[in-house]
């Protein structure tokens, strides 16, 4: 799965990479977690002939997709990921796959190598070449009972490649820059036409760096969470004995 990621690129770098109009200033985000707002890009409305306006538009959405047909959001699970293998069959994602495919800009993501029942060793997983990448995303606009609307989204995952599988068996789908237009084109590209894009990245695309357990807490949002570190088994054992709430979890809203 993909439960935490980061976007540390500047607005100008992100704009150029995604082919967007100018973005408002935003800070580097080192620990993006479910239910928080995330930046996504999707195809814009049809352009007039000769128009030089960008063909894509940016949206801020809540990370955790809610299908339009949900009646009770409190009883509905938080859909932060959509499995590529079943994304066409799942009722929760069918409409978004047909009408609202998106790109999620990121600098990398975090994953935990499990160790028994413990949270395990966290890794910061980033492109070897550096820079920005784009995860495959889905957007759904949910109309609340009171009449207000909320844009929500999910990240599509696939089986881990050989470079990541020793850490976790899933990873986010990376859409290559040459495939941006095809992935976002919901007018002429049916969902079945873009399924070939929902594949693992090449085995040498990412590098995985062990980091400390600072990333476990969503309150930790500085660059220090990406510094190399090892979580000792003894520290994990002591931490599990401490009373209190689990700060790694967030509410649905």
């Amino acid at each position: 799965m993909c439960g935490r990621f980061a976007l540390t690129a500047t607005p100008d770098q992100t704009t150029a990479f995604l082919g967007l109009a100018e973005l408002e200033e935003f800070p580097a985000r080192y620990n993006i977690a479910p239910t928080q707002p995330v930046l996504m890009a999707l195809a814009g409305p049809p352009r007039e002939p000769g128009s030089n306006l960008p063909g894509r538009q940016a949206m801020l959405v809540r990370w955790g997709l809610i299908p339009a047909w949900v009646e009770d959001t409190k009883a509905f699970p938080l859909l932060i990921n959509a499995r590529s293998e079943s994304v066409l069959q799942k009722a929760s994602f069918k409409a978004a796959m047909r009408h609202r495919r998106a790109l999620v800009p990121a600098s990398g993501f975090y994953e935990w190598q499990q160790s028994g029942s413990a949270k395990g060793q966290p890794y910061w997983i980033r492109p070897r070449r550096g820079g920005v990448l784009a995860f495959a995303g889905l957007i759904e606009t949910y109309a609340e009972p009171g009449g207000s609307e909320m844009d929500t989204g999910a990240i599509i995952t696939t089986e881990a490649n050989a470079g990541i599988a020793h850490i976790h068996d899933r990873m986010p789908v990376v859409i290559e820059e040459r495939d941006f237009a095809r992935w976002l084109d919901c007018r002429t590209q049916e969902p079945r036409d873009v399924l070939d894009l929902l594949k693992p990245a090449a085995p040498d695309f990412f590098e995985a760096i062990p980091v400390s357990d600072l990333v476990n807490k969503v309150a930790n949002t500085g660059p220090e969470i990406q510094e190399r570190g090892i979580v000792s088994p003894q520290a994990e054992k002591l931490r599990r004995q401490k009373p209190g709430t689990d700060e790694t979890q967030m509410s649905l809203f």
Side-chain angles (χ1 to χ4, degrees):
M1 64 178 294
C2 176
R4 298 287 178 83
F5 70 100
L7 176 59
T8 58
T10 67
D12 286 345
Q13 291 170 330
T14 306
T15 296
F17 178 65
L18 294 177
L20 297 168
E22 184 179 3
L23 288 171
E24 294 184 7
E25 288 295 317
F26 59 81
R29 299 179 66 192
Y30 292 91
N31 198 5
I32 301 172
T35 74
Q36 293 180 356
V38 299
L39 176 66
M40 292 194 183
L42 69 167
R47 292 177 291 176
E48 295 293 330
S51 171
N52 59 358
L53 294 174
R56 297 166 193 158
Q57 61 186 34
M59 288 185 69
L60 266 183
V61 310
R62 192 204 72 147
W63 188 12
L65 186 143
I66 304 177
W69 44 262
V70 170
E71 295 182 358
D72 184 0
T73 58
K74 292 183 178 179
F76 194 76
L78 188 63
L79 300 179
I80 63 173
N81 295 152
R83 294 176 67 93
S84 61
E85 298 89 343
S86 58
V87 71
L88 292 189
Q89 289 76 45
K90 294 289 186 180
S92 297
F93 306 119
K94 277 186 176 181
M97 267 296 287
R98 179 65 188 88
H99 301 290
R100 290 172 290 277
R101 298 191 295 267
L103 299 169
V104 186
S107 302
F109 67 102
Y110 301 95
E111 198 51 84
W112 282 259
Q113 187 178 47
Q114 296 301 314
S115 177
S117 61
K119 181 74 172 177
Q121 172 65 53
Y123 284 82
W124 163 234
I125 302 173
R126 66 186 183 189
R128 290 185 186 275
R129 59 168 171 74
V132 195
L133 70 155
F135 299 144
L138 298 172
I139 293 175
E140 186 72 272
T141 299
Y142 178 72
E144 299 181 285
S148 61
E149 292 186 340
M150 175 171 56
D151 296 316
T152 68
I155 293 172
I156 301 178
T157 66
T158 186
E159 61 180 356
N161 62 26
I164 304 298
H166 68 288
I167 299 172
H168 199 277
D169 62 355
R170 305 292 296 176
M171 67 186 300
V173 170
V174 176
I175 301 296
E176 304 242 6
E177 194 168 358
R178 65 175 180 266
D179 296 318
F180 283 1
R182 185 156 72 95
W183 171 250
L184 294 177
D185 182 4
C186 295
R187 287 188 284 271
T188 67
Q189 297 289 312
E190 296 284 340
R192 63 177 180 273
D193 298 330
V194 295
L195 279 182
D196 62 296
L197 302 180
L198 305 183
K199 61 185 187 299
D204 60 350
F205 183 84
F206 286 111
E207 61 178 347
I209 302 167
V211 295
S212 75
D213 58 0
L214 287 173
V215 69
N216 293 5
K217 297 183 179 180
V218 296
N220 294 332
T221 58
E224 66 278 0
I225 70 173
Q226 293 180 355
E227 294 175 1
R228 187 176 294 270
I230 301 294
V231 176
S232 70
Q234 183 61 25
E236 278 292 315
K237 181 179 179 181
L238 291 173
R239 189 173 294 105
R240 293 198 305 275
Q241 291 174 346
K242 289 183 178 181
T245 58
D246 181 2
E247 294 183 74
T248 69
Q249 301 297 315
M250 299 187 72
S251 62
L252 183 61
F253 292 99

